[in-house]
């Protein structure tokens, strides 16, 4: 096989579009608008860095009842990205029958968008990219959902990225949590998966384990200002040197202007 081509992605999660819709409170309406603006800045970042792909690791929408205009805004904003977008649902926007991703055809608006719909796991092999991507669609009806259950072995020499929306726990940690991602599961992916794009946590975190690069991008704009490590997106490069990532600020506010909770 010819040498695989370099790849650049932007990784985000927990965008929570539609949060506070209909609240009638000026403070929360302003917050919702700020969250929309920040997602637009994620798209700008992806275009400005010439990213090949955008990954949205769950909780793109805040709930299943967001207004239709929010869904249209989301799809039209994704459409502005020149590369391909891949989205997995999270616990706030599950893939149960009749839910938001079935009621609205976002992919007809944003034609380079792929929504992962397979509950048991789905491999995606995007045309034009040396990339194999895997993710699972969360269902509210699955009380024992494990984001990395069924993660397959490596397919070939292309870059392999696994997406997961859940709570990472190291051995001896909070094993009672839902949507559990165990450190042993990440470690077992060594030699098979090059990067794990996680969502579910508003703050950014590096949970790299046993040589497997695993990152929570954090929310581009958190629901409140309690999470000081949010307001970021990850830019990840895959090349002959391996996998390197940097965090880029997308919160339009200066850090010193962010209110203290």
């Amino acid at each position: 096989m010819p040498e695989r081509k370099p790849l650049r992605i932007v990784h985000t999660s927990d965008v929570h579009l539609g949060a506070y819709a209909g609240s009638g409170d000026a403070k929360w309406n302003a917050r919702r608008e700020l969250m929309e603006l920040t997602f637009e800045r994620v798209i700008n970042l992806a275009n400005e860095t010439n990213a090949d792909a955008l990954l949205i690791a769950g909780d793109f929408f805040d709930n299943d009842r967001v207004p239709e205009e929010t869904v249209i805004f989301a799809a039209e904003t994704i459409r502005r990205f020149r590369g391909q977008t891949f989205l997995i649902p999270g616990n706030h926007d599950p893939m149960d029958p009749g839910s938001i991703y079935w009621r609205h055809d976002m992919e007809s608006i944003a034609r380079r968008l792929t929504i992962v719909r397979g509950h048991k796991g789905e491999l995606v092999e995007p045309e034009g990219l040396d990339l194999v991507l895997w993710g699972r669609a969360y269902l509210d009806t699955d009380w024992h959902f494990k984001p990395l259950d069924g993660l397959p072995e490596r397919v070939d020499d292309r870059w392999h990225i696994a997406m997961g929306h859940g709570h990472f726990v190291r051995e001896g940690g909070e094993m009672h949590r839902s949507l559990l991602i165990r450190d042993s599961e990440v470690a077992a992916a060594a030699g098979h998966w090059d990067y794990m794009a996680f969502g579910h946590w508003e703050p950014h975190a590096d949970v790299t384990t046993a040589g497997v690069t695993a990152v929570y991008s954090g929310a581009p704009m958190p629901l409140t200002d309690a999470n000081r490590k949010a307001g970021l997106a990850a830019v990840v490069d895959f090349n002959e040197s391996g996998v390197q990532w940097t965090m880029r600020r997308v919160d339009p506010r200066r850090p010193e202007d962010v209110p203290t909770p």
Side-chain angles (χ1 to χ4, degrees), residues 37-74:
L37 170 62
T38 308
F39 180 60
E40 291 180 318
R41 289 170 63 87
V42 172
I43 298 298
N44 293 345
L45 173 66
N47 280 330
E48 290 164 4
T49 57
N50 294 313
D52 300 294
L54 169 68
L55 308 186
I56 304 174
D59 286 1
F60 185 46
F61 295 106
D62 183 68
N63 58 71
D64 189 55
R65 305 172 306 282
V66 302
E68 182 178 11
E69 55 264 32
T70 298
V71 180
I72 294 172
F73 162 80

Side-chain angles (χ1 to χ4, degrees), residues 223-243:
L223 289 164
T224 71
D225 286 319
N227 283 314
R228 311 295 287 185
K229 291 185 179 180
L232 306 168
V235 178
V236 191
D237 283 299
F238 302 76
N239 53 45
E240 66 278 359
S241 300
V243 181

Side-chain angles (χ1 to χ4, degrees), residues 101-258:
Y101 293 116
W102 298 113
R103 297 196 311 271
H104 301 280
D105 187 4
M106 293 176 60
E107 288 150 304
S108 69
I109 299 173
R111 296 193 177 276
R112 293 182 299 279
L113 166 65
T114 299
I115 299 173
V116 173
R117 299 175 183 272
H119 176 56
K120 293 184 178 180
E122 185 177 329
L123 272 176
V124 181
E125 302 178 65
E127 185 175 351
L129 299 179
D130 281 347
L131 172 63
V132 174
L133 187 123
W134 181 91
R136 289 191 69 196
Y138 172 81
L139 298 181
D140 257 346
T141 50
D142 184 356
W143 293 2
H144 303 290
F145 182 80
K146 300 293 188 294
L148 295 185
D149 241 12
L151 181 68
E153 295 184 350
R154 192 175 198 91
V155 174
D156 54 25
D157 289 335
R158 288 173 291 178
W159 302 109
H160 279 50
I161 299 175
M163 298 177 69
H165 187 87
H167 186 76
F168 176 85
V169 178
R170 298 200 183 275
E171 190 63 36
E174 300 174 311
M175 294 299 176
H176 64 280
R177 297 292 293 263
S178 60
L179 284 76
L180 199 65
I181 300 173
R182 296 173 179 264
D183 60 349
S184 58
E185 294 178 288
V186 176
H192 298 285
W193 294 87
D194 300 298
Y195 183 79
M196 291 193 167
F198 288 156
H200 192 50
W201 291 357
E202 282 199 329
H204 153 66
D206 178 8
V207 295
T208 296
T209 302
V212 181
T213 305
V215 174
Y216 282 90
S217 64
M221 175 58 58
L223 289 164
T224 71
D225 286 319
N227 283 314
R228 311 295 287 185
K229 291 185 179 180
L232 306 168
V235 178
V236 191
D237 283 299
F238 302 76
N239 53 45
E240 66 278 359
S241 300
V243 181
Q244 302 90 31
W245 55 273
T246 59
M247 300 307 300
R248 300 283 292 270
R249 186 171 178 83
V250 291
D251 184 340
R253 304 169 297 176
R254 297 183 305 173
E256 58 269 26
D257 292 337
V258 177

